[in-house]
Amino acid sequence: MSILSLNVRGFGSAVKWRYVKETIRKEGIKMLCLQEVRMNNFSLNLCCKLWGDNDIDFLYSEPSNGSGGILISWHKMFFQCNSNIINRRFIVFSGWSKEKNIPVVVVNVYSSCILHEKTQMWKELLEIRQRDPCNSWCILGDFNSIRNERERKGVNNVRGNKREMQSFNNFIDNMELVDIPCIGRKYTWYRPNGKAKSRLDRFLLSFEWLQHWPGSKQYITKRQISDHCALVLKSNVADWGPKPFRFLDIWQENKEFEDFVRSKWDSYLVQGNEILVLKEKLKMLKSDLKGWNKDVFGYTDKLKYEILRKIQELDSRDDEDGLDENRIIERRELLSQLQVINERNESLLHQKSRALWIKQGDSNSKFFHASIKWRRMRNEIKGVNCNLSGNWMEEPNKVKEMVLDFYKKKMSATEDIGVRLDNVVFKEISESKNRFLTDPFDDKEIKEAIWNCDSQKSPGPDGVTFSFIKNNWSFLEKDMLGVVKFFHKEGTIPKGCNASFITMIPK
């Protein structure tokens, strides 16, 4: 999936024509969306020349008094248009994605600068969205609006536009769209003298669109032929390797879970110090839990689909001829199973969303889905800039090499660290305070420290939460206490026992 959006500020010059044509070829564009084309009687012949291909179709909104002009053009190998809505401020493409074999709606927007005209356009789009049965939406273009003060710089009275910003954010929320993260520049429009800049252009995607193209990102390219930058929507799913293990709270609701974990834990025979023993036991338990989860819980989505199918068959039979006693009992059991699966899925979504301020049981699965999607997109490493070449790198192996090389240099020791403590007088603590700090931990103290930790949190990258430790304390106690007391006595952690994830936090 690759879609190009650009406010060209008039498409009559050969330079702009050449730039768009080259971008289509270079980026592998499947759909082209231009704003402010300012050309009358834009034809299919011109579209085909622009693409360098005859298997092209288009929709066009004519300019008014030499201003405006909106174009959506697509390759018929990838898209099919079934219906459309065209007016001077937007074009709605309603059709089919042949790549995914699903219905999609793409809207190309060229918004007015006047607030009441913007709000009228947002109202019209919301009404179309509510009427349309398709859920996979992509709205793009020049919105002539910002979402917050950080999206505008060098323009007077930014704070005076709070009403407009709030209205724009309400529109996005009401449309149930996501403003996906940007790669490249921070702003999309620049005044010719460079003193003012704003993010006026963007891609807004529905959650359903992101389910079909989960790796969607919007790239803001360098400004070349217009005071607006071209935006390219791409969907690239990179393989960053195996996913970390995560302990699921829903497992503990299974009646067989505790006995399964206890029997496995007691069966592990590991030689070594207390920390190494715990590490190896947890490693073996994770492997056994993965198999147990597959056998006992299975694939809940497939199981739910099968249960719903059986319920539908029984309901249809009941509508026609009625059900005997056995069939009524069967349907009751299926409904009970469906309730269990729904509760299980809700618990899983609640844990993945990390929305701890919402009470589990609110049945707000759509909110949880949205939280998970947004958190993953926000936290995902899109790529890195190479300091030497200045090139943007996205290939996982190259990114891993660059990160490893960076931290190797960062953490390497030098012969002279440049720090001297000569003639420094340190304050001393009393002997009683020293004994208090160095005394061995007692069992009660260790348990209190563990119980004071949030049950949803994991103390390390192994994915084992404090909830698991607390609920299975009866047979984990000996190993947990042994680990803390060994560390206090020896003051060392065996190699491989203190692994951690490096988190890259954007500035």
Side-chain angles (χ1 to χ4, degrees):
M1 168 61 66
S2 51
I3 301 177
L4 171 64
S5 173
L6 172 63
N7 184 328
V8 290
R9 295 290 198 194
F11 201 37
S13 74
V15 173
K16 294 183 178 181
W17 191 273
R18 192 181 309 114
Y19 170 79
V20 173
K21 188 172 184 176
E22 178 62 22
T23 305
I24 291 174
R25 183 196 62 80
K26 181 181 177 181
E27 300 291 347
I29 299 300
K30 308 299 188 297
M31 178 176 283
L32 170 67
C33 299
L34 301 180
Q35 304 90 41
E36 279 204 271
V37 178
R38 300 177 186 170
M39 291 179 64
N40 293 314
N41 302 317
F42 200 90
S43 66
L44 179 60
N45 184 49
L46 288 175
C47 269
C48 293
K49 288 182 178 179
L50 183 62
W51 284 80
D53 196 321
N54 291 327
D55 199 18
I56 304 298
D57 208 343
F58 80 109
L59 297 170
Y60 189 61
S61 173
E62 294 284 344
S64 175
N65 298 322
S67 174
I70 308 171
L71 171 70
I72 295 184
S73 181
W74 62 92
H75 201 294
K76 291 192 287 187
M77 182 183 295
F78 300 97
F79 290 99
Q80 172 187 317
C81 183
N82 297 331
S83 63
N84 64 78
I85 300 173
I86 300 177
N87 66 36
R88 61 187 297 266
R89 288 302 176 192
F90 60 82
I91 297 178
V92 178
F93 167 101
S94 182
W96 204 261
S97 165
K98 296 182 179 180
E99 176 190 0
K100 295 290 185 178
N101 196 32
I102 59 168
V104 295
V105 174
V106 179
V107 183
N108 187 5
V109 169
Y110 172 53
S111 179
S112 168
C113 295
I114 303 171
L115 179 56
H116 75 84
E117 292 185 3
K118 292 179 186 180
T119 54
Q120 178 61 34
M121 182 190 72
W122 297 336
K123 181 181 178 182
E124 291 176 18
L125 288 173
L126 182 58
E127 290 174 353
I128 295 170
R129 172 88 154 107
Q130 291 171 343
R131 291 196 308 265
D132 199 297
C134 177
N135 292 319
S136 296
W137 276 60
C138 170
I139 303 183
L140 58 94
D142 180 1
F143 291 86
N144 261 316
S145 293
I146 60 172
R147 301 194 64 186
N148 54 63
E149 296 175 9
R150 296 186 300 275
E151 293 188 347
R152 180 163 287 166
K153 188 176 182 181
V155 179
N156 294 329
N157 198 28
V158 175
R159 295 184 178 180
N161 293 328
K162 283 189 175 181
R163 179 186 169 195
E164 179 178 327
M165 288 186 283
Q166 184 61 50
S167 297
F168 187 40
N169 285 321
N170 289 340
F171 162 73
I172 294 173
D173 292 340
N174 292 333
M175 292 286 287
E176 297 183 346
L177 300 173
V178 176
D179 188 1
I180 60 176
C182 295
I183 295 175
R185 294 189 168 211
K186 185 177 180 180
Y187 306 101
T188 65
W189 170 83
Y190 294 80
R191 189 168 286 169
N193 60 15
K195 293 183 178 180
K197 56 198 75 173
S198 301
R199 187 188 171 202
L200 304 179
D201 313 81
R202 66 190 77 227
F203 282 86
L204 301 172
L205 308 179
S206 68
F207 300 121
E208 290 78 10
W209 182 288
L210 289 170
Q211 286 179 339
H212 295 293
W213 289 281
S216 295
K217 308 179 188 73
Q218 52 181 328
Y219 295 78
I220 303 176
T221 65
K222 296 179 181 178
R223 181 167 56 100
Q224 296 193 33
I225 61 168
S226 170
D227 54 357
H228 287 255
C229 300
L231 274 65
V232 179
L233 176 68
K234 295 181 182 178
S235 176
N236 301 318
V237 181
D239 182 8
W240 293 92
K243 295 181 180 179
F245 173 84
R246 175 179 290 166
F247 177 83
L248 301 179
D249 292 339
I250 191 66
W251 290 345
Q252 298 180 122
E253 296 182 12
N254 186 281
K255 297 178 181 179
E256 302 173 357
F257 177 77
E258 184 177 350
D259 291 337
F260 172 82
V261 173
R262 183 191 296 271
S263 64
K264 288 294 182 181
W265 193 264
D266 292 340
S267 68
Y268 301 145
L269 301 177
V270 182
Q271 300 295 324
N273 62 63
E274 285 83 347
I275 296 181
L276 185 62
V277 168
L278 180 65
K279 169 182 172 289
E280 291 301 317
K281 280 189 171 184
L282 287 174
K283 183 178 179 180
M284 289 186 286
L285 181 62
K286 285 192 294 184
S287 178
D288 288 332
L289 282 175
K290 288 179 181 178
W292 178 85
N293 178 58
K294 184 177 180 180
D295 294 337
V296 176
F297 276 75
Y299 299 98
T300 56
D301 290 338
K302 291 182 178 179
L303 183 59
K304 181 177 179 179
Y305 175 82
E306 184 62 24
I307 290 175
L308 287 172
R309 185 187 64 79
K310 291 179 179 179
I311 292 174
Q312 179 63 33
E313 288 180 357
L314 290 172
D315 286 344
S316 299
R317 185 178 299 180
D318 190 16
D319 292 341
E320 295 295 330
D321 305 317
L323 298 176
D324 58 27
E325 187 64 27
N326 291 334
R327 295 296 186 184
I328 293 174
I329 294 174
E330 180 184 356
R331 183 169 60 181
R332 190 182 301 128
E333 291 175 350
L334 288 170
L335 290 170
S336 178
Q337 293 175 23
L338 181 62
Q339 177 67 20
V340 171
I341 290 177
N342 286 335
E343 292 175 357
R344 184 186 303 169
N345 287 342
E346 183 191 333
S347 173
L348 181 60
L349 288 171
H350 184 275
Q351 185 176 354
K352 285 184 177 181
S353 71
R354 298 186 184 176
L356 301 181
W357 53 274
I358 284 193
K359 181 181 178 182
Q360 185 172 332
D362 282 354
S363 299
N364 199 350
S365 59
K366 189 160 190 175
F367 171 82
F368 293 144
H369 273 297
S371 299
I372 295 167
K373 287 287 183 185
W374 175 245
R375 184 170 58 81
R376 286 177 177 172
M377 285 190 296
R378 182 190 60 199
N379 294 343
E380 178 190 21
I381 297 176
K382 314 296 187 300
V384 293
N385 266 320
C386 180
N387 291 330
L388 297 177
S389 65
N391 294 328
W392 176 260
M393 305 291 295
E394 290 189 12
E395 203 279 315
N397 289 332
K398 294 290 185 182
V399 172
K400 291 177 183 178
E401 289 175 7
M402 291 181 63
V403 172
L404 180 62
D405 183 62
F406 172 83
Y407 279 100
K408 274 185 176 180
K409 294 177 181 178
K410 192 81 172 174
M411 303 298 179
S412 296
T414 58
E415 293 183 2
D416 185 0
I417 61 175
V419 177
R420 294 288 182 270
L421 300 178
D422 302 336
N423 301 320
V424 176
V425 179
F426 294 98
K427 292 183 178 180
E428 296 182 356
I429 62 174
S430 65
E431 184 61 31
S432 60
K433 289 183 178 179
N434 181 56
R435 283 197 303 270
F436 173 77
L437 291 174
T438 58
D439 276 347
F441 305 111
D442 59 45
D443 296 354
K444 181 181 179 182
E445 194 176 5
I446 297 171
K447 184 176 180 180
E448 284 181 354
I450 293 174
W451 255 253
N452 285 333
C453 294
D454 190 326
S455 297
Q456 298 294 324
K457 302 299 182 181
S458 174
D462 55 18
V464 178
T465 62
F466 281 105
S467 172
F468 170 80
I469 297 172
K470 295 174 185 178
N471 290 334
N472 298 283
W473 186 251
S474 59
F475 56 90
L476 293 179
E477 179 180 8
K478 179 181 177 182
D479 293 285
M480 297 301 298
L481 297 178
V483 165
V484 177
K485 292 177 179 179
F486 173 84
F487 176 71
H488 181 273
K489 179 182 177 181
E490 301 295 333
T492 60
I493 299 177
K495 186 177 180 180
C497 295
N498 62 338
S500 60
F501 293 134
I502 295 176
T503 303
M504 302 179 70
I505 303 175
K507 293 184 178 178

